[in-house]
Amino acid sequence: MSSPTQKGYSEHQMGHTDHQKGLLITAIGGLILTVDIPLIRLADGGAWTILLLRTGSTLLAALIIWAIWRSLSRNAPQLVPGWTGLVVALCYGLTSVTFVTAVYHTSTANLVFILAFSTVFTALLSWLFLKERLRLGTVVAMLVMILGVLIIVGGSIGTGHLFGDFMALCSAFFIALAITISRASGKDMGFTSLVGCVLPLAVAVFMVSGEGFQVNAPWWVIFDGAVIMPISFFCLANGPKYISGPEVAMFYLLETVLAPVWVWMIFAETPTRDSLIGGAILIVALVAHSAWQLHEGRKRRATLAVSHPA
């Protein structure tokens, strides 16, 4: 019979394994998500047509995958786990609408840099509603990131990008809200994030019926919706089961670093000086904060290993 000390250490090992699993899942999701904006831009179409194709193909792919999974296993996750799932689906739906709107009303660099603000929103929401304590290093990183976003948004005044920047900020907030609610529920929200496409799809169908179907290369955005979005959002939406909300939000920031690079390589779109300055501040703050978290995690594990040797 195991002692309380051995049991505690065993539970710690399981928690550590779950944490590593969560980090891997969300890293895969965040990395795949970085090609989302370039694929939208390559499709070369109207905002509502792009939203229709992107969300429609995502929803169809999600339902097909879920139906196959359900037929093969009784353990397939629910599409929408209760009222909590409905709220999370609504948040992801609003994220999709505001995100695609932002793509067409601000630069890619501004969009992805402002989306980095989702980490600040997630940390604040986790502190307010989940009582997850904010450490001094996290507070400092958040304040620096706020400064970076203010520089980006300030540089957009008079350029016509202010509305797009606001839509990007709304998208960051809805992502943070979805992550926090998922974390609080502890439920599998992998398919819920994809079912959330119903709302933007309905809006897009209504808008396209009035203004017409406008797209030159639909296969790019169909590939984005049918392959990229299901994989990336399924992974990212499952992350809160294993790791904290702010940690999940940080993996969305791989897009912050890589999406402007892909767009610069494909479309030769050069970010503005203010966007680069603000973006650099955001990235430095994030990298420093992530390195600090890893260091603190190693210290805690080392301390526990000494206290409870195997």
Side-chain angles (χ1 to χ4, degrees):
M1 186 174 178
S2 61
S3 68
T5 301
Q6 289 172 319
K7 183 179 178 182
Y9 187 67
S10 175
E11 288 175 351
H12 165 72
Q13 285 180 310
M14 290 175 63
H16 180 53
T17 302
D18 280 347
H19 190 264
Q20 288 181 319
K21 181 180 178 180
L23 291 175
L24 178 61
I25 290 171
T26 47
I28 291 170
L31 189 61
I32 292 173
L33 189 63
T34 65
V35 300
D36 179 32
I37 294 175
L39 289 173
I40 290 174
R41 295 280 300 272
L42 283 168
D44 188 22
W48 295 113
T49 300
I50 294 297
L51 185 62
L52 186 153
L53 291 173
R54 182 174 179 263
T55 54
S57 53
T58 298
L59 181 61
L60 181 61
L63 292 176
I64 291 172
I65 293 168
W66 181 80
I68 294 172
W69 192 340
R70 186 82 171 177
S71 67
L72 297 175
S73 172
R74 293 285 184 182
N75 296 323
Q78 291 178 281
L79 280 175
V80 180
W83 286 103
T84 306
L86 280 175
V87 176
V88 171
L90 176 63
C91 290
Y92 278 113
L94 292 171
T95 296
S96 187
V97 173
T98 52
F99 175 80
V100 173
T101 303
V103 169
Y104 284 86
H105 289 89
T106 191
S107 69
T108 297
N110 280 27
L111 170 57
V112 295
F113 288 146
I114 292 171
L115 284 177
F117 210 64
S118 61
T119 57
V120 176
F121 284 137
T122 305
L124 287 173
L125 291 171
S126 296
W127 171 59
L128 288 171
F129 299 108
L130 305 184
K131 307 305 178 186
E132 293 182 353
R133 188 167 60 90
L134 288 176
R135 298 188 178 189
L136 179 61
T138 300
V139 174
V140 171
M142 286 165 56
L143 291 174
V144 174
M145 289 176 69
I146 290 172
L147 173 63
V149 170
L150 288 175
I151 291 173
I152 294 170
V153 175
S156 294
I157 296 175
T159 65
H161 287 167
L162 206 54
F163 174 70
D165 289 348
F166 176 70
M167 287 292 99
L169 202 60
C170 288
S171 190
F173 174 76
F174 290 130
I175 288 172
L177 190 58
I179 290 171
T180 305
I181 296 171
S182 299
R183 176 74 173 167
S185 72
K187 295 178 180 177
D188 191 324
M189 297 288 183
F191 282 104
T192 307
S193 64
L194 305 176
V195 174
C197 289
V198 170
L199 171 65
L201 177 60
V203 173
V205 168
F206 175 77
M207 295 301 295
V208 170
S209 65
E211 68 177 29
F213 197 78
Q214 304 168 9
V215 63
N216 291 321
W219 50 86
W220 288 114
V221 74
I222 290 173
F223 173 75
D224 182 34
V227 179
I228 300 301
M229 299 308 295
I231 296 173
S232 60
F233 270 88
F234 184 86
C235 292
L236 289 164
N238 264 318
K241 284 176 60 181
Y242 307 105
I243 59 179
S244 70
E247 282 180 302
V248 174
M250 283 188 177
F251 282 101
Y252 278 92
L253 303 176
L254 287 170
E255 190 173 27
T256 302
V257 179
L258 295 177
V261 175
W262 308 148
V263 170
W264 172 67
M265 291 172 64
I266 298 170
F267 302 103
E269 181 185 285
T270 307
T272 64
R273 182 178 63 87
D274 286 335
S275 182
L276 286 173
I277 292 172
I281 291 172
L282 282 168
I283 291 169
V284 168
L286 286 167
V287 170
H289 183 258
S290 298
W292 172 74
Q293 277 198 321
L294 288 171
H295 176 67
E296 289 294 306
R298 288 195 191 98
K299 280 172 61 178
R300 285 194 297 272
R301 287 193 294 272
T303 301
L304 194 60
V306 171
S307 302
H308 306 291

